[in-house]
Amino acid sequence: QKEVEQNSGPLSVPEGAIASLNCTYSDRGSQSFFWYRQYSGKSPELIMFIYSNGDKEDGRFTAQLNKASQYVSLLIRDSQPSDSATYLCAVNRGANNLFFGTGTRLTVIP
Amino acid sequence: KAGVTQTPRYLIKTRGQQVTLSCSPISGHRSVSWYQQTPGQGLQFLFEYFSETQRNKGNFPGRFSGRQFSNSRSEMNVSTLELGDSALYLCASSPPDRVGLGYTFGSGTRLTVV
């Protein structure tokens, strides 16, 4: 079983819709959770992090964490074509490294 | 403030050769981590350095090694290159002992082994 699992997609949503990206992790001791966005040919950039159960909102982005279900999600409201990218879920288990999922490719259709 | 700088951006090497990649972290960041990214495997952790010491190591063969200098700059070396080492190598830095707040990645070095 992989440490972090994501649907590889591609996920296509129309412009203005809500995009929902999901991630599960295997280690119950995981402490912090991250979403990175990676445009084609570029390096990942951090867009959200969350530590506690519940929702965390930042602009059009909402991260949701459910530790009991070992589940993290990212909602993107009012999706824009510029949101088209690969979204990587990452998990920190307390040591100084992150475990990444393989990413979900999102396409926002104008 | 300058970001994480990786050099070179692109490299083409022949099987059996060795290669050294360089990473300069954000000023004040003392933790430097290296990742390999391939289409099939995604981002895989290689190792992490802090204050010139390797604190953490991933599941890669001994051909992959690294070091960190007193100014926090880091290098990684791959010896006896194999075709499967072709990948994007990413360096990431974080403030001291704050990986929990996430990394800042460099632009990466694209290594092609032929």
Side-chain angles (χ1 to χ4, degrees):
Chain A
Q1 184 186 8
K2 289 188 178 180
E3 295 276 354
V4 181
E5 302 220 40
Q6 295 181 254
N7 246 335
S8 60
L11 173 66
S12 294
V13 300
E15 184 174 354
I18 295 175
S20 177
L21 304 158
N22 305 313
C23 169
T24 57
Y25 59 94
S26 61
D27 188 340
R28 285 197 173 273
S30 299
Q31 298 179 2
S32 46
F33 307 86
F34 305 84
W35 284 99
Y36 283 81
R37 177 176 61 200
Q38 187 173 25
Y39 291 113
S40 181
K42 301 291 187 184
S43 59
E45 57 175 324
L46 179 66
I47 53 173
M48 290 285 288
F49 63 88
I50 186 167
Y51 303 137
S52 308
N53 273 330
D55 294 0
K56 179 181 177 183
E57 189 174 312
D58 184 1
R60 296 186 296 112
F61 299 97
T62 299
Q64 299 175 316
L65 174 60
N66 183 327
K67 288 188 177 181
S69 301
Q70 293 173 245
Y71 179 90
V72 194
S73 65
L74 179 70
L75 300 178
I76 306 174
R77 288 181 301 283
D78 187 25
S79 295
Q80 302 297 309
S82 58
D83 295 326
S84 297
T86 296
Y87 288 80
L88 301 166
C89 173
V91 168
N92 175 250
R93 300 194 309 190
N96 295 302
N97 64 287
L98 299 182
F99 290 91
F100 284 84
T102 51
T104 299
R105 190 153 47 98
L106 172 67
T107 301
V108 180
I109 303 163
Chain B
K1 132 171 143 173
V4 180
T5 304
Q6 289 188 249
T7 56
R9 289 296 307 277
Y10 302 93
L11 266 178
I12 300 176
K13 289 287 187 178
T14 305
R15 262 184 310 175
Q17 286 187 312
Q18 76 162 16
V19 67
T20 299
L21 313 181
S22 179
C23 171
S24 293
I26 290 173
S27 177
H29 286 194
R30 289 159 57 196
S31 171
V32 174
S33 298
W34 289 89
Y35 284 81
Q36 181 196 66
Q37 187 175 33
T38 57
Q41 299 295 318
L43 271 155
Q44 293 189 284
F45 174 70
L46 281 153
F47 26 66
E48 185 246 355
Y49 285 88
F50 179 80
S51 291
E52 301 177 65
T53 301
Q54 186 183 91
R55 287 201 297 192
N56 222 338
K57 190 178 190 311
N59 226 8
F60 278 81
R63 300 185 296 108
F64 292 81
S65 63
R67 59 178 176 168
Q68 187 180 35
F69 302 95
S70 58
N71 62 357
S72 295
R73 189 177 72 85
S74 178
E75 289 180 347
M76 69 162 278
N77 184 276
V78 189
S79 63
T80 322
L81 283 165
E82 301 176 0
L83 295 179
D85 297 333
S86 296
L88 178 66
Y89 289 88
L90 289 161
C91 163
S93 76
S94 63
D97 285 329
R98 295 183 76 184
V99 173
L101 291 184
Y103 297 135
T104 301
F105 282 94
S107 300
T109 294
R110 171 79 58 187
L111 172 65
T112 302
V113 182
V114 297

